[in-house]
Amino acid sequence: MVIFKRLGDYEVGMRTHVADCFQDIVKTIHVSESGEEPGGDIEASDIKKFIVYPNPNSGEFNVDVELEKPGSIRLRLISLAR
C-alpha cells in the first residue's frame, strides 16, 4: 500500500511488454479526505523507485521499492479485473 499524506491527484503508469511491442497505461489516483488516519512517516516524495515486474505475469510478481530515507512500508494489491 502506498500512503499519500497530501490530498490531490497522482499519475501512476505501467508499461507492458510482449515480444518487441509495448504499451504504456497511465491512471490517475485521486486522494481525498478519509475517516481514518494513515500511519507511517513515508510520503509520496520519499519514494525514489517503485517497480513491479514481470509484466505481464501469471499472478506471481516482484516489487522493488527504493526510499529516500529509511522507513517501513506496506503494499496492498487491488485487482481491477472484472
Side-chain angles (χ1 to χ4, degrees):
M1 172 177 12
V2 177
I3 297 175
F4 299 94
K5 290 198 172 191
R6 296 187 186 106
L7 303 179
D9 294 331
Y10 297 86
E11 287 190 349
V12 176
M14 179 178 281
R15 176 171 282 185
T16 59
H17 293 270
V18 176
D20 291 334
C21 300
F22 69 90
Q23 180 178 10
D24 292 324
I25 298 173
V26 177
K27 298 288 184 176
T28 301
I29 296 174
H30 177 73
V31 179
S32 60
E33 299 253 0
S34 170
E36 35 180 273
E37 278 295 314
D41 59 350
I42 301 297
E43 297 184 24
S45 61
D46 293 328
I47 301 172
K48 287 174 63 174
K49 178 173 85 170
F50 186 92
I51 300 173
V52 180
Y53 64 94
N55 187 16
N57 65 61
S58 61
E60 292 187 27
F61 54 90
N62 298 298
V63 179
D64 284 345
V65 179
E66 186 176 338
L67 304 175
E68 290 284 346
K69 61 183 180 182
S72 61
I73 62 170
R74 291 184 304 159
L75 298 175
R76 181 172 64 169
L77 175 66
I78 301 171
S79 175
L80 299 177
R82 295 179 186 204

